[in-house]
Amino acid sequence: MDLAFTAGESAFRAEARSWLAAHVPCTPLPSPETADGFDRHRAWERTLYEGGWSAVSWPEAYGGRGGSLLEWLVFEEEYHAAGAPVRVSQNGISLLAPTLLAHGTEEQRARVLPPMARGETVWAQAWSEPEAGSDLASLRSVARPAPGGLLLSGHKTWSSRAAFADRAFGLFRSRPGAGRPHQGLTYAMFPLDAEGVTVRPIGRLDGRPAFAELFLDEVFVPDADVIGAPGDGWRVAMSTAGSERGLALRSPGRFTAAARRLVALWRAAGDPGDTALRDRVADAVIRARAYELYGYGRASGDGAGAGTAESSPVKVFWSELDLALHETALDLLGADGELADTDWAEGWTFALAGPIYGGTNEIQRDIIGERLLGLPKGRRG
Amino acid sequence: MRFLLDAEQKEFGRTLDRMLTASGTPQAVRAWARGEYGPGLALWQRVADAGVFGLAAPEAYGGFGPLPAELAVAFVELGRHCVPGPLAETVAATVLLAHLGGTGPAREWVPRVCAGRARVTLTLPGGGPYALDAEAADAVFTVTGSGLLSLSPGHGPVRPSVDPARRPARPAGGGTLLASGPAVRAAAALAADWAAFATAAQALGAGLALLDRTVAYARRRTQFGAPIGSFQAVKHRLADAFTGLEFARPLVFGAAVALAAGSPTARAEVAAAKAASCDAAYTAARTALQVHGAIGYTAEYDLSLWIGKARALRSAWGGPAECRARALELFAQGSG
């Protein structure tokens, strides 16, 4: 048992660090929740791609770097330590790509993944509906057969990045009469500028259009854009749902970087006599280190712990840690803690959504109880 | 990098688990709490025979160490099975004496401690005034803040602990001076880190036992016509207890790696592990008590053995505030 990086891993870190030092914008990009800011972030994705860093863990054939899980963790540590921009391609790279790699056809991978890696196609997720949130399987949007494909109709919502994204992937009911709610669902990809699609941006808590609702009226999708077998969408979606909840979506490097900034803030602005606040800073440090070590354990493993249910405690852990880090920082800022134009305030707004998206933390606790602890299923609510 | 237990380390844990399961530890714990040490000392000998007390001591003094990862594996099992006695103190004593080296107390005591032929306990600067289970020990060592290592001539009255199987007592003053000076202070600081580390692993084990027993109870116990574990209010508390323990574990083994490497951050890593595993164990204890309800609030029910231990271990070898203050050093070097 060790935590020693090999010469190759250290060289990888050095290469990532020096590339980031040379390329990360000196002044922060405008918010990706604005049209101009989004374009700038898209351009940054292209820069990352040209450096070979946009999809570290993907196979090289699709525009990735063919890196190991450990290399990806190292890259993420360096990325966040460098204060590099938010990844607007995150949904595609960490949610859709694993699904395509597991369930897509070779044609789909070759067609979809390279433009995703280049930042040319930015993806949004279209799962939730107004009446299907935590109870996702009760979704009502439909996919009706049409010559050569499907016609999608319905109302999707809370679709992150959809205000400015190019395409979306989602779940649709293709067999309304199926016995149970999660049967007869189909996983499909569609363009957000297609005929029949209306995108209505929604202001998140701070008013910025970080997500959107989508109205679909007989949107044609060719058979080639269905992932997995028609009717098998639930299994396809759930088999990679762990990506959204676990390490892949929010890597430890994000939190260790924030914890280091928090300690620096504590040293600069903390009252040494305020041991209550000092304990909160320390607690955030301890939890960030725990997540970092957890990641190293996973990267050392043989895939054990990578299942969908195993990602549930991870999601609860990082989403609560993210809030604790930012809440503690805002408390440290004194009167400036109310100002909205600080990185900490921006991070806090972002962190507030963590316990909600990707399946609420209450749903994760159900999964932990039932699938990891073996407790009996109960009626929800 | 390979931050995983290997097959041999896992098997070591399973072997201890089987041995302790077959040993009927709750009876030994209850006897120990009454000051009847016989069954506990028989158990102690089996733990020694499995090699546990030699894991921190070097071969020169009859040990196999330092092997902190194996020590963590062992102490998780000792905690899981609620094994009584001055466990972390024994580890600390072997580290203290072996680190001082020479042919005096190290040669006299460490090989016998490793073999289970002598039981020792101690106090160290910053570790509180009580020598755990001094009454059951063959020797009580003390180190003062000024760096005097002595063999205490005895101990004061046994004080009650919230864990009845822990029997703390103040060492008597005076005694035989064994060593003094900066080397003693340095060895004592290292020994205290190992004591905190062993306590962290032991607390993790206690927490895992509390969770396991409570999950089993929640599956079995029926109210309103359904197993109580099917209710979200119960399920979610258990899920949180699980998550806390799940993320304390990597910190314990991260501390093991740091101790093995003699890393300058070892003290901070140990402190982080101690804070997290003691928090997680105590959360598991509160959850266990609440889910069991009134039956959990009885001394007669064995759950009480772990509840008291989870509380007591938090205060031993560095409380939450002390550990957090030290853990701040982990990320103190700025970004990058």
Side-chain angles (χ1 to χ4, degrees):
Chain A
M1 169 170 265
D2 69 78
L3 285 164
F5 291 99
T6 63
E9 288 154 1
S10 297
F12 177 90
R13 181 188 294 281
E15 191 185 349
R17 185 175 293 188
S18 82
W19 187 89
L20 288 162
H23 291 86
V24 170
C26 303
T27 50
L29 301 183
S31 165
E33 269 76 60
T34 60
D36 171 52
F38 192 87
D39 288 345
R40 302 276 300 276
H41 280 78
R42 188 199 287 273
W44 167 248
E45 291 293 326
R46 176 79 194 190
T47 306
L48 276 172
Y49 171 78
E50 284 164 359
W53 299 105
S54 73
V56 168
S57 60
W58 289 9
E60 289 174 53
Y62 305 122
R65 200 181 187 88
S68 65
L69 178 54
L70 183 60
E71 286 174 330
W72 178 76
L73 290 173
V74 167
F75 173 71
E76 285 280 309
E77 287 171 17
E78 294 299 325
Y79 191 87
H80 291 285
V86 167
R87 300 288 309 272
V88 292
S89 287
Q90 177 94 54
N91 283 335
I93 287 173
S94 69
L95 306 182
L96 177 58
T99 306
L100 284 171
L101 290 169
H103 301 283
T105 64
E106 182 48 42
E107 184 278 325
Q108 287 173 329
R109 291 175 202 157
R111 174 164 52 91
V112 173
L113 294 178
M116 189 193 297
R118 293 192 295 266
E120 289 165 19
T121 311
V122 174
W123 290 83
Q125 187 187 33
W127 286 21
S128 292
E129 296 180 3
E131 301 302 324
S134 288
D135 185 9
L136 180 63
S138 71
L139 63 89
R140 298 174 186 171
S141 293
V142 294
R144 293 198 186 86
L150 297 166
L151 290 171
L152 307 181
S153 295
H155 183 184
K156 293 286 183 181
T157 193
W158 317 131
S159 182
S160 295
R161 306 250 173 262
F164 305 108
D166 308 296
R167 290 174 67 84
F169 52 96
L171 281 171
F172 297 86
R173 193 163 296 285
S174 51
R175 214 155 31 92
R180 297 170 64 192
H182 54 267
Q183 291 172 340
L185 299 177
T186 292
Y187 197 128
M189 303 179 278
F190 58 96
L192 287 168
D193 60 357
E195 200 181 328
V197 179
T198 306
V199 178
R200 194 181 75 81
I202 305 172
R204 68 174 183 190
L205 204 54
D206 64 359
R208 289 179 174 161
F211 46 17
E213 55 186 336
L214 311 175
F215 299 91
L216 296 104
D217 181 14
E218 305 212 316
V219 178
F220 179 75
V221 166
D223 288 329
D225 282 346
V226 171
I227 306 174
D232 198 28
W234 185 258
R235 194 182 65 85
V236 170
M238 288 306 122
S239 73
T240 50
S243 305
E244 182 180 15
R245 298 169 184 161
L247 279 175
L249 187 65
R250 302 283 178 249
S251 72
R254 171 189 173 83
F255 305 100
T256 51
R260 284 196 163 87
R261 291 185 189 113
L262 182 65
V263 172
L265 180 63
W266 163 252
R267 300 255 190 254
D271 167 5
D274 188 347
T275 53
L277 201 46
R278 185 205 62 194
D279 280 357
R280 287 170 60 197
V281 174
D283 212 43
V285 165
I286 292 167
R287 288 155 76 185
R289 177 65 174 157
Y291 190 29
E292 182 180 36
L293 290 167
Y294 172 86
Y296 292 151
R298 281 276 305 278
S300 307
D302 46 12
T308 300
E310 280 75 8
S311 66
S312 290
V314 180
K315 197 258 168 168
V316 170
F317 191 80
W318 65 244
S319 59
E320 292 185 347
L321 168 58
D322 206 17
L323 267 172
L325 276 162
H326 290 89
E327 286 168 344
T328 305
L330 294 182
D331 286 344
L332 262 168
L333 288 173
D336 283 356
E338 77 164 279
L339 302 180
D341 59 356
T342 64
D343 287 348
W344 288 115
E346 165 70 24
W348 169 75
T349 303
F350 188 84
L352 281 173
I356 301 168
Y357 60 70
T360 64
N361 284 10
E362 286 66 35
I363 292 296
Q364 306 310 325
R365 290 182 173 100
D366 278 351
I367 295 171
I368 294 166
E370 290 162 18
R371 298 191 28 210
L372 299 180
L373 297 177
L375 293 168
K377 270 189 182 292
R379 227 185 85 75
R380 309 272 182 245
Chain B
M1 175 182 297
R2 193 177 186 284
F3 188 56
L4 274 186
L5 293 173
D6 63 29
E8 205 175 327
Q9 289 166 327
K10 287 182 191 159
E11 183 52 31
F12 180 50
R14 281 193 293 268
T15 303
L16 282 171
D17 184 27
R18 279 194 298 271
M19 184 270 280
L20 294 167
T21 301
S23 296
T25 46
Q27 292 84 343
V29 174
R30 290 185 184 281
W32 192 279
R34 292 191 298 269
E36 298 162 15
Y37 299 117
L41 293 180
L43 186 60
W44 190 271
Q45 186 61 54
R46 285 198 286 278
V47 173
D49 290 344
V52 172
F53 298 130
L55 291 172
E59 285 180 27
Y61 297 105
F64 321 100
L67 291 172
E70 282 76 2
L71 187 109
V73 168
F75 270 67
V76 167
E77 296 308 323
L78 298 179
R80 194 199 299 275
H81 291 277
C82 223
V83 172
L87 296 163
E89 293 71 19
T90 297
V91 167
T94 61
V95 170
L96 171 73
L97 297 177
H99 199 69
L100 284 171
T103 53
R107 188 71 64 207
E108 182 183 352
W109 288 100
V110 178
R112 288 197 288 145
V113 170
C114 291
R117 292 199 308 277
R119 269 90 47 187
V120 297
T121 186
L122 84 176
T123 63
L124 294 171
Y130 304 109
L132 185 66
D133 296 312
E135 193 179 71
D138 301 307
V140 179
F141 298 100
T142 62
V143 177
T144 63
S146 55
L148 303 178
L149 165 62
S150 305
L151 183 60
S152 171
H155 59 86
V158 173
R159 301 286 307 272
S161 164
V162 290
D163 172 8
R166 288 171 63 88
R167 296 171 60 80
R170 283 179 190 268
T176 314
L177 181 67
L178 301 175
S180 64
V184 172
R185 282 201 296 275
L190 184 66
D193 287 344
W194 278 79
F197 167 63
T199 304
Q202 193 183 356
L204 176 60
L208 291 168
L210 284 157
L211 178 66
D212 284 353
R213 296 175 78 92
T214 308
V215 166
Y217 182 79
R219 293 169 66 165
R220 188 168 76 230
R221 169 74 173 168
T222 296
Q223 288 286 274
F224 305 103
I228 61 170
S230 67
F231 304 137
Q232 279 185 315
V234 171
K235 189 175 287 175
H236 289 191
R237 280 194 81 144
L238 290 166
D240 284 340
F242 170 83
T243 302
L245 294 164
E246 190 74 357
F247 283 91
R249 189 196 315 261
L251 288 167
V252 169
F253 287 98
V257 171
L259 282 173
S263 158
T265 60
R267 167 160 291 193
E269 299 274 4
V270 167
K274 170 88 172 45
S277 69
C278 285
D279 272 2
Y282 189 63
T283 298
R286 288 286 322 281
T287 299
L289 176 56
Q290 191 65 22
V291 171
H292 277 82
I295 187 69
Y297 190 64
T298 61
E300 183 187 338
Y301 196 65
D302 280 346
L303 192 74
S304 64
L305 307 181
W306 283 271
I307 292 174
K309 191 164 301 289
R311 177 54 251 184
L313 292 179
R314 262 172 89 86
S315 303
W317 298 111
E322 202 177 336
C323 287
R324 281 178 169 78
R326 284 184 192 166
L328 264 182
E329 298 304 317
L330 272 180
F331 289 164
Q333 69 275 41
S335 58

